[in-house]
Every structure is written in structure tokens, then in C-alpha cells.
Amino acid sequence: MDPYVIEMNGSGDHVSVGGRSSTLGKAKGRKARWSVKPSDMANNTFNPIRAIVDSMKVKPNPDKTMISLSIGDPTVFGNLPTDPEVTQAMKDALDSGKYNGYAPSIGFLSSREEVASYYHCPEAPLEAKDVILTSGCSQAIELCLAVLANPGQNILVPRPGFSLYRTLAESMGIEVKLYNLLPEKSWEIDLKQLESLIDEKTACLIVNNPSNPCGSVFSRSHLQKILAVAARQCVPILADEIYGDMVFSGSKFEPLATLSTNVPILSCGGLAKRWLVPGWRLGWILIHDRRDIFGNEIRDGLVKLSQRILGPCTIVQGALKSILRRTPQEFYHDTLSFLKSNADLCYGALAAIPGLRPVRPSGAMYLMVEIEMEHFPEFENDVEFTERLIAEQSVHCLPATCFEYPNFFRVVITVPEVMMLEACSRIQEFCEQHYHHAEGSPEECDK
């Protein structure tokens, strides 16, 4: 008899395994019936952007081509290709045949050395042991939250802020507390309100600089004040710096870790935005712990957690040395020049529209626009406003309810200039058609 054949008798109690008879006791307390349900983790995983966008059952105006200012992917329109050196580095890594197998789950040592060398500076020294390579910056953030917080603890998250922080935290049973950014202060943190949220269950503070969705860049002095709060309250920081160095002329990006020796910081970054290859899924965690507060425990924890998916794509790891060393400065400069030009164009056009109040960005790929809802009484909120903008003008902006900040919308500034001009023209036409004076009497839009 085949030793792997299992035969059951009519009653289901006796089995014959490889010809030998065996009696199995009925499982106690378990009724034999199918009941397969999703886990709590699956049920608790919720992406507010998807939920809001998917609920917008509106069709664009068929007479106008759709202009999407909603997707934070700089590659969508083909006007922002990565540099040929970056592409060549990938081809060379693939052709070498050296990167088809597994790497260590935290990444090849040689690749981690390259990242450490690239970001090392005297104020925040780095070695390969301080670098964990991840599958995109999103996984870097997930690993940091998983190593720092237990179910029942809380984390401090910016409002408005990137929705993934909440999505990841709540799927792990971690409470999210929202601290406010202030539009009238170019989206600086309300430090007093932030500090009031901290309690004995606070596991970490997330600082996103430059900001998605705001396009803001914190000054050195403001970052020092944030660090002072963290130091006073003994709260470690998760620094989401995926847009690091993507700042416009007139602003300066200060890596948070360069400004503090006593606050332990996990800094998350990656290739996605600065090198314009979000689909390549290569991110990293930089561990800054000069006072040895994290110690070996947090480092070991990150290594263990990285073993759940065995690290990021090895071909991109193999290309990393050439990408970091050979991408020309003109590439970075040209990308930022384009983004600043588009940001200025968009800000200027929208600032001239009655009922809208854009906040001037200083970096990243976005700007936020306030809707003075009292001048648009037919719309209940920002979701309705942006829905009707799609239906009437075929322009898609994300309502800032997606970022927990109602009555604003976010504009992505990576689209070609001609599309940006057309989108702003359509937004102006839309606002002129729907604008009312605060008293409620309709007037022609004029400013």
C-alpha cells in the first residue's frame, strides 16, 4: 500500500496509514464544520484614501480629458524619467548574474555600506550595521512601528499626514494620536498640543519632513524644538524622510538625526521619490542611536522582523552602488527645478481664485489648498467639492479628508506644465461657477 494514502472508515474514527490501523480521538470542543474567516489583522487594515476614493461614484465630464492631480507617483505621465545612469545600473546588475539568489534579510553588506557612506556625516555618523534595507520606504515604516510599539500602545502622527501611518498602526493594534500641523505657519507642528498627547503608553513620534501631503519643509530651529519635546518626554522618533533633499531653492533639508545626539531616531528613506523609481521598492532604515538607548535589542528586533519577508529585491541592491555614486547632480537639480516651477505656477494660479487659499510649498511633490467652504454652500465638504470637480471639469484632486484634514484638497505637482496650466484653468472656471458671497448671494467671481 502507498504509505501516503490515508483511508477513513465510514464513521470517520479509524484510519489506515500505510496499511497500519490507527484510532483518532474526536477533537474535543470542536465541531467539524467549515468556518474560515479573515483575521483581526486583516479586518483592522483600512486605507482611508482607498475608502474615500472608491466611494466617489462620480464619472468625469466626457467632453474633457481627465487630468489626475491625485496620484503621488512621479512616473505616471512619463515627463519625469529617472536618469540613464540609474537605468544602466539596473541593467548591469541584471546582466552580471550575481544577484539572482537570496541576500541576507537586512540586505547585502556591500549595499548597506553604500547607503551608510552616502548618508554619513560627522554630526550623524553611520556604518553598515546601522542600515536595514527594506522593500520600499513603506516597509521601512512598518518595521519601525513593529519594533517600537506593542498592541495597546500609541504613536503620534501628523494631521494632515500620510494615511499609511494609521493603516499600518491600526492593523497592529496600535492606537493613533494625531498632532496638528498649522497651515498659517507653513505647516509647522503645534508643539504644545503635540506634547499634551504624550502619555506612558506613547511608543514613538512620527515626523515627516519634507511633508506629504503639505510640501512643507521644517526649519532647523523648528526641528530643534521638536527634538526638545522628544528629549524631555523620552520618546523615540520615526523620521519619515523619503522626500529628503527634495527641497526647492530657498529652503534647506536638515536630516533630523544631524541635530540631536540624545534622541534615538529611526530614519526611513528610499529610492522612490528622489530617484523617481517608486516601483523598484528599495527603502532603508538608518539607525541613529549615539547614546545607546535603542541598544542591541531594537537592532536585533529589526533584524528579526526583516526575516519575515527576506529583504528587498536583490537586483536593485546590486545596482545601488552605481545609483548612489553615478547619478549626476544635474539630474537632481533638473527634477527640483521642474517641481519648483510647477509649484510656483500652481500656487500663483490658485491663489488668484476667490474661495481658494493654497499654502505655498517648499519641497516634496505636493501642495495643499484650503477651500473656504462658506463661499461654496452647495457643497457639504471637501469630498463633495472634489467629486463635483471631477464630474464637471475632469480634474481629480484628493480631498484632504484622506489625510484627516477636512476642507482642503491636495494637488500633485509632477504633471507636465501644460496639464498643470489646464487643470488650474478648469479649477478657476469651476470656482467661478459655484462661488457665493458669505451672505449667500451669488456673485460673479472677481478678485
Side-chain angles (χ1 to χ4, degrees):
M1 173 180 272
D2 186 332
Y4 298 107
V5 170
I6 296 178
E7 296 176 347
M8 300 197 78
N9 70 359
S11 69
D13 292 340
H14 295 83
V15 298
S16 174
V17 183
R20 294 190 302 277
S21 185
S22 169
T23 302
L24 297 178
K26 286 183 178 173
K28 286 181 182 173
R30 179 176 165 91
K31 195 172 178 185
R33 68 175 191 277
W34 290 105
S35 179
V36 184
K37 295 194 170 84
S39 67
D40 290 345
M41 185 178 188
N43 286 334
N44 291 335
T45 301
F46 173 80
N47 184 328
I49 292 182
R50 283 266 55 85
I52 291 165
V53 171
D54 291 349
S55 71
M56 294 168 79
K57 303 292 185 203
V58 62
K59 289 190 168 75
N61 182 338
D63 298 328
K64 299 193 178 193
T65 50
M66 186 69 173
I67 301 177
S68 182
L69 305 179
S70 60
I71 304 168
D73 180 347
T75 71
V76 166
F77 297 98
N79 60 314
L80 288 173
T82 192
D83 191 80
E85 289 284 2
V86 177
T87 310
Q88 190 59 49
M90 278 289 271
K91 290 176 180 174
D92 293 345
L94 187 61
D95 289 343
S96 76
K98 295 178 183 175
Y99 304 106
N100 297 332
Y102 288 119
S105 64
I106 57 173
F108 288 121
L109 175 62
S110 58
S111 304
R112 290 185 288 117
E113 284 172 341
E114 289 299 326
V115 174
S117 169
Y118 191 82
Y119 287 103
H120 171 91
C121 61
E123 303 85 5
L126 285 167
E127 300 173 40
K129 69 179 175 60
D130 304 316
V131 178
I132 309 268
L133 298 184
T134 62
S135 183
C137 189
S138 299
Q139 198 215 359
I141 294 165
E142 180 184 30
L143 292 183
C144 291
L145 291 178
V147 82
L148 292 175
N150 279 312
Q153 289 189 284
N154 65 69
I155 61 169
L156 307 178
V157 168
R159 172 174 55 201
F162 184 37
S163 61
L164 188 73
Y165 306 140
R166 180 184 285 280
T167 300
L168 292 172
E170 291 187 343
S171 77
M172 295 186 236
I174 300 162
E175 184 193 351
V176 169
K177 290 187 170 186
L178 299 169
Y179 66 83
N180 293 327
L181 306 182
L182 303 169
E184 68 275 14
K185 292 189 173 180
S186 298
W187 301 110
E188 286 190 343
I189 297 173
D190 183 338
L191 294 166
K192 205 169 183 180
Q193 186 255 350
L194 164 68
E195 193 159 8
S196 74
L197 298 174
I198 298 172
D199 61 24
E200 71 285 349
K201 289 187 173 181
T202 301
C204 81
L205 161 62
I206 296 182
V207 178
N208 175 211
N209 179 53
S211 162
N212 174 13
C214 301
S216 53
V217 180
F218 292 148
S219 67
R220 172 185 280 251
S221 65
H222 189 61
L223 290 168
Q224 286 168 331
K225 290 172 186 172
I226 298 166
L227 286 162
V229 172
R232 196 159 52 240
Q233 299 289 347
C234 298
V235 175
I237 291 179
L238 190 171
D240 179 357
E241 298 181 328
I242 187 65
Y243 296 98
D245 293 309
M246 292 187 75
V247 298
F248 307 151
S249 52
S251 297
K252 186 172 189 291
F253 169 64
E254 307 265 6
L256 196 57
T258 62
L259 303 178
S260 172
T261 55
N262 59 346
V263 175
I265 295 169
L266 298 178
S267 173
C268 298
L271 291 181
K273 303 301 161 70
R274 193 168 185 224
W275 286 269
L276 305 176
V277 286
W280 290 11
R281 310 312 299 140
L282 197 288
W284 47 74
I285 301 167
L286 309 179
I287 305 167
H288 296 280
D289 186 32
R290 293 195 287 293
R291 288 271 303 278
D292 205 34
I293 294 165
F294 285 148
N296 288 331
E297 288 182 321
I298 295 297
R299 290 172 185 272
D300 292 348
L302 285 168
V303 172
K304 288 176 188 172
L305 288 166
S306 74
Q307 291 165 351
R308 293 180 3 156
I309 71 159
L310 300 180
C313 174
T314 51
I315 298 168
V316 192
Q317 290 186 54
L320 205 47
K321 177 178 179 178
S322 293
I323 290 172
L324 296 179
R325 291 190 182 194
R326 292 168 57 180
T327 303
Q329 285 303 313
E330 304 92 78
F331 167 73
Y332 305 126
H333 177 268
D334 291 349
T335 303
L336 288 175
S337 292
F338 170 79
L339 291 174
K340 183 178 190 316
S341 170
N342 247 12
D344 289 346
L345 187 156
C346 182
Y347 175 83
L350 298 185
I353 300 173
L356 298 185
R357 293 177 61 183
V359 182
R360 187 184 289 279
S362 301
M365 307 183 329
Y366 316 98
L367 84 159
M368 289 276 276
V369 185
E370 182 180 1
I371 310 162
E372 295 176 332
M373 295 304 300
E374 69 272 19
H375 292 298
F376 301 99
E378 65 191 284
F379 305 127
E380 189 74 25
N381 50 36
D382 55 306
V383 177
E384 270 191 29
F385 182 97
T386 51
E387 270 185 334
R388 288 282 291 279
L389 184 58
I390 295 170
E392 295 179 19
Q393 298 290 343
S394 296
V395 174
H396 188 190
C397 300
L398 272 190
T401 292
C402 294
F403 309 106
E404 322 236 21
Y405 212 77
N407 302 335
F408 278 70
F409 62 88
R410 187 191 74 172
V411 175
V412 174
I413 57 172
T414 56
V415 301
E417 183 180 302
V418 63
M419 290 178 75
M420 181 60 78
L421 284 166
E422 173 65 18
C424 290
S425 170
R426 292 188 198 175
I427 292 169
Q428 179 178 353
E429 184 180 313
F430 177 81
C431 289
E432 287 175 351
Q433 287 171 348
H434 296 284
Y435 183 90
H436 288 57
H437 274 282
E439 301 86 352
S441 59
E443 289 275 334
E444 271 299 307
C445 212
D446 190 39
K447 204 176 193 183

